């Protein structure tokens, strides 16, 4: 009841609108209106602030559905950057588009991505945060590896999280977390 009331309030305030899903999915969903889209920057900044309360092992809980938006939180690209990244994780495809100093994300195929990254969410995030040219176990890259280095240069997180992530990669704990997450997703 609470969620239904909140959605009705958001719809009445013109922040979201109801949409009918096309087949094979059926039912009702909600999407942001132009007014709702104006919250994007504030939500990203709130997510960035929230990183102060996470630990690196929290990445094991990232759903492939949230992956593109999780990356938007940690990436702060320069204004001149222009790049499209395709993500494939646990059967979910999503994309991340970077342009004009910001980013957008969506589900599905990006068309002609500059870079494709595949693997479990924890491994992909670790590859972005502390990866090296040697890579992170479980992550596959298609495209120009220099673009991945650029992305890594745009990651802004608390030093404590970066250090924890580095230790997880070096100790193999990340591979264990990624394997457990994949197994849990598979059922």
């Amino acid at each position: 009841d609470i969620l239904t009331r909140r959605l009705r309030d958001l719809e009445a305030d013109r922040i979201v609108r109801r949409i009918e899903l096309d087949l094979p999915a059926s039912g009702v969903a909600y999407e942001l209106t132009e007014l709702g889209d104006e919250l994007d920057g504030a939500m990203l900044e709130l997510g960035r602030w929230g990183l102060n309360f996470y630990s690196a092992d929290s990445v094991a809980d990232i759903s492939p559905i949230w992956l593109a938006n999780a990356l938007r939180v940690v990436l702060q690209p320069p204004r001149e950057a222009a790049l499209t990244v395709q993500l494939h994780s646990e059967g979910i495809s999503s994309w991340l588009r970077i342009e004009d100093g910001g980013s957008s994300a969506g589900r599905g195929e990006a068309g002609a991505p500059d870079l494709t990254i595949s693997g479990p969410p924890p491994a992909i995030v670790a590859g972005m945060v502390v990866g090296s040219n040697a890579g992170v176990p479980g992550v596959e890259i298609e495209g120009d590896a220099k673009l991945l280095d650029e992305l890594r240069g745009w990651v802004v997180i608390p030093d404590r999280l970066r250090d924890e992530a580095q230790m997880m990669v070096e100790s193999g704990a990340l591979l264990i977390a990624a394997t457990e997450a994949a197994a849990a997703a598979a059922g």
Side-chain angles (χ1 to χ4, degrees):
D1 286 346
I2 293 172
L3 177 59
T4 301
R5 282 186 295 212
R6 296 292 182 260
L7 286 169
R8 284 185 190 145
D9 291 346
L10 290 169
E11 190 174 13
D13 291 336
R14 300 179 339 269
I15 296 169
V16 300
R17 69 178 145 257
R18 286 175 68 121
I19 59 169
E20 296 289 329
L21 295 174
D22 294 329
L23 293 175
S26 62
V28 175
Y30 291 85
E31 67 181 5
L32 292 173
T33 62
E34 281 186 40
L35 181 63
D37 279 336
E38 291 177 16
L39 290 169
D40 187 60
M43 296 303 292
L44 282 175
E45 289 305 317
L46 185 59
R48 290 171 181 153
W49 176 80
L51 291 172
N52 290 299
F53 304 98
Y54 280 86
S55 63
D57 61 355
S58 299
V59 77
D61 296 330
I62 292 178
S63 163
I65 294 170
W66 307 333
L67 181 59
N69 279 314
L71 293 176
R72 289 183 69 215
V73 170
V74 301
L75 291 171
Q76 295 185 35
R79 187 133 196 86
E80 67 277 1
L83 175 67
T84 300
V85 179
Q86 180 70 58
L87 301 165
H88 295 290
S89 185
E90 299 175 1
I92 304 292
S93 294
S94 56
W95 51 264
L96 180 64
R97 195 161 287 123
I98 296 168
E99 57 191 348
D100 299 324
S103 61
S104 57
R107 291 194 192 157
E109 296 297 322
D114 301 296
L115 185 66
T116 299
I117 306 173
S118 304
I124 290 174
V125 173
M128 296 288 287
V129 172
V130 297
S132 66
N133 291 339
V136 171
V139 176
E140 295 178 18
I141 307 295
E142 292 178 35
D144 188 348
K146 291 178 185 174
L147 295 175
L148 182 58
D149 288 337
E150 278 187 52
L151 283 171
R152 287 183 185 128
W154 304 336
V155 172
V156 179
I157 61 173
D159 289 339
R160 170 190 57 79
L161 282 179
R162 191 178 304 272
D163 294 343
E164 288 177 18
Q166 184 69 45
M167 286 189 295
M168 287 182 73
V169 169
E170 289 172 359
S171 71
L174 175 71
L175 187 56
I176 294 167
T179 303
E180 288 173 353

